[in-house]
Amino acid sequence: DAKTTQPNSMESNEEEPVHLPCNHSTISGTDYIHWYRQLPSQGPEYVIHGLTSNVNNRMASLAIAEDRKSSTLILHRATLRDAAVYYCILRDPYSGAGSYQLTFGKGTKLSVIP
Amino acid sequence: DTGVSQDPRHKITKRGQNVTFRCDPISEHNRLYWYRQTLGQGPEFLTYFQNEAQLEKSRLLSDRFSAERPKGSFSTLEIQRTEQGDSAMYLCASSLGQYTGELFFGEGSRLTVL
């Protein structure tokens, strides 16, 4: 599986934008980029996913580099509820394990300062 | 609430005992997954079902681990002869369809083996 690299931790002030980076230099053409987050004492929660184009939803935006070797999850206005571990995951839905499996790394622990 | 529910939320057992966890997925979801998460790590895939068929089980950690989904609805994960190393959070997730960007996770069942 292609791997991702994320910073171990980041801090943000409340009500400011947060940019969470993810490097995936060995990404293949059919890998989708997924982001999940895990709040304390809860299961992971889907945030967003994309293939090539930037994506927006009510939770966040996903900016994908033109060469697809990196991506950035953007939280437009951090709240205390956004304090969580954020996982960047590559998944190829058309190949074997990718059709059913998410491979989580350690993610980035985001702290939000009031 | 129509999300994924898991029971029990917490289980403390003595080494050598058997434990069983139950997962009730979102009702229309035909895919069900089990993951394990140890402290400080991301979730680790264990097995998955499509309807009642267990299509991938090679990642179950040992032959002490087994999972069932007898009628394609709820699922159980059993650990026989528990060991202290089995202490972890056991997460269940479900999804709809052949491929979807989104897995819905439950809040997990935390196992402590004394």
Side-chain angles (χ1 to χ4, degrees), chain A residues 1 17 28-29 57 61 68-69 71 82 88 108:
Chain A
D1 291 337
S28 73
N57 66 21
S61 296
R68 299 206 329 124
K69 293 186 176 181
S71 60
D82 292 321
C88 171
T108 296

Side-chain angles (χ1 to χ4, degrees), chain A residues 14-27:
Chain A
E14 195 177 10
E15 299 189 3
E16 290 188 354
V18 183
H19 291 232
L20 295 161
C22 181
N23 288 322
H24 29 77
S25 59
T26 60
I27 190 170

Side-chain angles (χ1 to χ4, degrees), chain A residues 4 22 24 27 31-35 48-52 62-65 68 70-71 88-91:
Chain A
T4 63
C22 181
H24 29 77
I27 190 170
D31 279 331
Y32 283 72
I33 302 159
H34 294 253
W35 285 83
I48 200 166
H49 78 287
L51 182 62
T52 56
L62 176 59
I64 301 173
R68 299 206 329 124
S70 65
S71 60
C88 171
I89 301 165
L90 301 184
R91 181 184 180 191

